[in-house]
Amino acid sequence: MGDFDVDWLRLRGPADVRARAADLPLLLRPHLPKRSPLKVLDLGCGTGSNLRALAPVLGGAQSWLCLDADTDLLDRLADETHAWAEASGFDWDATDRRVTGAEPHLTCTPDLNCTLATRRFDLARDLAELPIEGIGLVTASALLDLVSETWLAGLVSQCAKVQVPILMALTYDGRVAFEPALSLDREVIEAVNRHQGRDKGFGPALGPGANGRLAILAAAQGYWVEVRTSDWRIRRSERALQTALIRGWSRAAREEVTASDQAGIAHWEAVRLAAVERGCSRINVGHRDLLAIPRRA
Ligand SMILES: C[S@@+](CC[C@H](N)C(=O)[O-])C[C@H]1O[C@@H](n2cnc3c(N)ncnc32)[C@H](O)[C@@H]1O
């Protein structure tokens, strides 16, 4: 079991779905290879939320290979996708893990016919063995802030070699805004952002700088790059998500400051949690989505 459990991925799911930049998959569609099915590689797939967000918008015949180091999460991917398919009006075939049907909101999208496969794969250790040959789209969501500069450069260079489009959603970018605001907010989030730079298994993490680095690395490899903000706009009613975030930020920030500053952060946490409890707290968490298209595609 890794640092990302099923409950956390479920908790963030609705905020993720609302935040995604809707136009990037539509911009991507004409640049996808014409061969069918479209082969998609999902890096750090967790329980498959990227597939569920993206596959219906892309439409048509797709074959997803979903990679993650955490087998607990991979084991849940088919069940989570089955439940989502039923709730969204798609058909689910358990034998060959296939989702079929029409996306009810997108009349121009061809009917979805999407199979999914999962594979345990340590991206940090085995990047050189990434099964990228024949892939028509490399994608990930909520992964890039974990990775290092060296790793990201290696990934972009592999993608450029096979001229594959890249779509990276929901990369944390370091901006957090609270309502109501507190005087300590800035200090806490600055400490959180320093903590983000700690090694998450890939070497020193890029944290909030990851999306900007990806844009530069991809452009240098000849990609046309489009970036959108995809901020979480967490509602007053989303108390569980706010509580989990505030507790996590407080923990991370306290690891970054001196003992004398830790009490202030603990107080910040208590005041913030009380505001959540009273239903008067809203939080905006900055994220970016990035689409990179090989210029020759
Ligand atoms: C924040 S979660 C995002 C999961 C999913 N993409 C989503 O949007 O819900 C980050 C994911 O990266 C995976 N991960 C972290 N380090 C990894 C590694 N070295 N190799 C493969 N996957 C890794 C975690 O197991 C987790 O599923």
Side-chain angles (χ1 to χ4, degrees):
M1 172 100 159
D3 292 339
F4 304 94
D5 64 26
V6 175
D7 291 340
W8 166 243
L9 296 184
R10 276 211 188 119
L11 197 55
R12 56 176 292 161
D16 279 345
V17 168
R18 294 197 305 269
R20 282 172 169 263
D23 69 324
L24 291 188
L26 303 177
L27 275 180
L28 162 69
R29 260 175 29 194
H31 300 279
L32 290 168
K34 301 294 169 252
R35 55 184 185 269
S36 180
L38 169 69
K39 291 192 175 172
V40 183
L41 194 59
D42 188 12
L43 311 178
C45 60
T47 57
S49 71
N50 197 27
L51 178 153
R52 293 187 288 277
L54 208 48
V57 191
L58 297 178
Q62 299 171 39
S63 158
W64 281 62
L65 177 55
C66 302
L67 307 180
D68 204 287
D70 187 329
T71 47
D72 289 349
L73 299 180
L74 291 175
D75 288 347
R76 300 298 291 267
L77 196 147
D79 284 349
E80 296 277 320
T81 304
H82 178 188
W84 161 82
E86 290 204 333
S88 321
F90 290 104
D91 291 319
W92 168 253
D93 177 343
T95 313
D96 53 358
R97 294 174 148 197
R98 184 185 298 272
V99 184
T100 50
E103 157 58 61
H105 308 293
L106 291 169
T107 46
C108 308
T109 311
D111 284 5
L112 180 63
N113 183 348
C114 172
T115 58
L116 63 94
T118 56
R119 187 183 301 174
R120 188 188 177 281
F121 191 93
D122 186 334
L123 290 164
R125 201 191 54 198
D126 300 329
L127 182 63
E129 273 84 57
L130 201 65
I132 204 169
E133 215 39 64
I135 293 294
L137 172 65
V138 171
T139 182
S141 58
L143 174 76
L144 287 192
D145 47 281
L146 307 179
V147 310
S148 64
E149 169 86 21
T150 310
W151 189 90
L152 192 60
L155 175 69
V156 174
S157 143
Q158 282 204 46
C159 292
K161 250 184 230 143
V162 293
Q163 292 286 287
V164 65
I166 303 168
L167 180 58
M168 297 299 184
L170 298 161
T171 306
Y172 173 63
D173 72 0
R175 294 174 298 120
V176 180
F178 296 92
E179 187 190 305
L182 296 176
S183 58
L184 217 60
D185 290 341
R186 190 167 155 192
E187 191 180 321
V188 172
I189 295 306
E190 280 176 2
V192 168
N193 288 343
R194 286 197 301 279
H195 193 277
Q196 284 266 313
R198 294 189 180 195
D199 189 337
K200 310 289 190 313
F202 294 81
L206 283 165
N211 195 76
R213 287 305 301 155
L214 174 58
I216 289 168
L217 290 164
Q221 292 276 359
Y223 278 88
W224 159 52
V225 176
E226 288 290 333
V227 176
R228 302 285 183 270
T229 53
S230 52
D231 294 0
W232 280 354
R233 298 182 193 287
I234 307 175
R235 298 168 177 162
R236 293 187 179 96
S237 59
E238 292 177 299
R239 290 189 170 95
L241 178 57
Q242 293 200 32
T243 300
L245 283 170
I246 290 164
R247 291 205 171 120
W249 284 329
S250 172
R251 207 168 33 244
R254 277 181 282 133
E255 286 178 24
E256 286 292 320
V257 299
T258 58
S260 62
D261 287 336
Q262 288 174 7
I265 294 176
H267 180 70
W268 174 90
E269 176 182 345
V271 175
R272 281 255 153 263
L273 291 178
V276 172
E277 198 48 45
R278 285 199 309 277
C280 63
S281 166
R282 283 198 298 201
I283 310 179
N284 202 87
V285 185
H287 289 88
R288 304 280 160 128
D289 288 6
L290 183 150
L291 172 66
I293 304 282
R295 282 185 207 268
R296 274 176 277 148

